[in-house]
Amino acid sequence: MAEPAKLTLYSYWRSSCSQRVRIALNIKGLEYEYKAVNLLKGDHFDPEFEKLNPMKYVPALVDGDTVIGDSFAIILYLEDKYPQQPLLPRDAKKKALNLQAASIVSSSIQPLQNLPVLQFIENKFNADEKLTWAQNHINKGFAALEKLLKEHAGKYATGDEVQLADVFLAPQIYAGLVRFQIDMSLYPTLARLNDAYNELPAFQAALPQRQPDAPSSS
């Protein structure tokens, strides 16, 4: 009997969108081949990569004849096809909370601090304005997440089990701390969650500096 095809993830080490997919794959115990896409060198503009993701963003996932080029869609696909270690609860209210938190990260924070946007701000203004821009939008999103989750969080974002919200929060908090100098003391719930994520092997293995394409100095 033929072995099932291994998943292939097209990823960039520092991409928080790629990181959230790496976390989901790790939680579900899914092996995958890592294919690096160097955004700084413009690998994502290669016509072959554009076939995988017409938006020319990472990540992209290939699973046999299935190709998906959006992190949220990838994670929901994994949830449906590989239901082990589920990331979405059955309870409708709790499921909606997880989706809302994930959506805040994926639609109201990350797109405003991604590489093309920051390059545009720097070119139009300067490097200092780029950091100010990113901090403004991250702080706005973190303030909303802190209010949303503080009454629901247990050990993790929406209770005592790792779920979808955690998969999206962890890379965003990491980026806020490491890349954008966010003062996490303003967000005690998120800071506590970050401490919890630092104890989870599935999250640690997905960290940017642990990826094969990470620079040796990272």
Side-chain angles (χ1 to χ4, degrees):
M1 185 175 179
E3 293 186 3
K6 184 186 289 186
L7 298 162
T8 301
L9 179 66
Y10 291 79
S11 174
Y12 178 59
W13 69 282
R14 201 169 65 173
S15 160
S16 62
C17 296
S18 298
Q19 186 180 348
R20 64 179 73 134
V21 173
R22 297 193 299 259
I23 292 171
L25 288 163
N26 293 343
I27 289 172
K28 290 180 175 293
L30 297 170
E31 294 186 4
Y32 62 94
E33 179 183 2
Y34 187 108
K35 290 202 173 183
V37 180
N38 191 323
L39 302 185
L40 297 182
K41 292 182 178 179
D43 290 355
H44 51 308
F45 296 120
D46 187 293
E48 290 303 309
F49 183 74
E50 188 178 357
K51 293 176 183 177
L52 302 176
N53 188 350
M55 281 296 292
K56 306 174 189 176
Y57 290 160
V58 290
L61 182 81
V62 177
D63 184 10
D65 60 358
T66 300
V67 180
I68 311 167
D70 175 86
S71 64
F72 213 140
I74 289 169
I75 293 170
L76 292 180
Y77 168 82
L78 295 174
E79 183 73 353
D80 286 339
K81 186 167 182 183
Y82 304 98
Q84 68 269 27
Q85 299 298 319
L87 298 172
L88 283 171
R90 291 177 178 268
D91 178 77
K93 183 177 180 180
K94 200 169 187 179
K95 181 178 180 179
L97 179 64
N98 274 271
L99 290 169
Q100 184 179 355
S103 183
I104 289 173
V105 172
S106 67
S107 65
S108 299
I109 304 177
Q110 190 280 327
L112 297 166
Q113 51 134 82
N114 70 3
L115 183 61
V117 171
L118 296 182
Q119 287 175 333
F120 177 83
I121 296 296
E122 183 171 10
N123 291 336
K124 193 170 181 63
F125 300 102
N126 54 57
D128 290 339
E129 188 63 29
K130 176 180 71 172
L131 180 60
T132 301
W133 167 278
Q135 290 175 334
N136 175 63
H137 291 290
I138 295 169
N139 278 314
K140 181 179 178 181
F142 279 6
L145 287 164
E146 181 74 20
K147 290 177 182 177
L148 178 68
L149 298 174
K150 66 181 179 180
E151 301 300 329
H152 300 280
K155 185 173 183 180
Y156 304 112
T158 61
D160 292 329
E161 295 181 1
V162 171
Q163 296 190 314
L164 187 75
D166 303 293
V167 171
F168 279 73
L169 282 169
Q172 186 58 63
I173 296 172
Y174 177 90
L177 281 166
V178 174
R179 295 179 58 196
F180 301 110
Q181 304 160 34
I182 298 298
D183 179 5
M184 292 305 298
S185 68
L186 300 172
Y187 315 109
T189 302
L190 299 186
R192 179 175 61 76
L193 293 175
N194 186 59
D195 290 340
Y197 302 148
N198 287 335
E199 298 176 359
L200 298 175
F203 285 66
Q204 292 300 293
L207 285 171
Q209 66 269 26
R210 298 192 178 182
Q211 305 318 301
D213 55 329
S216 57
S217 60
S218 65

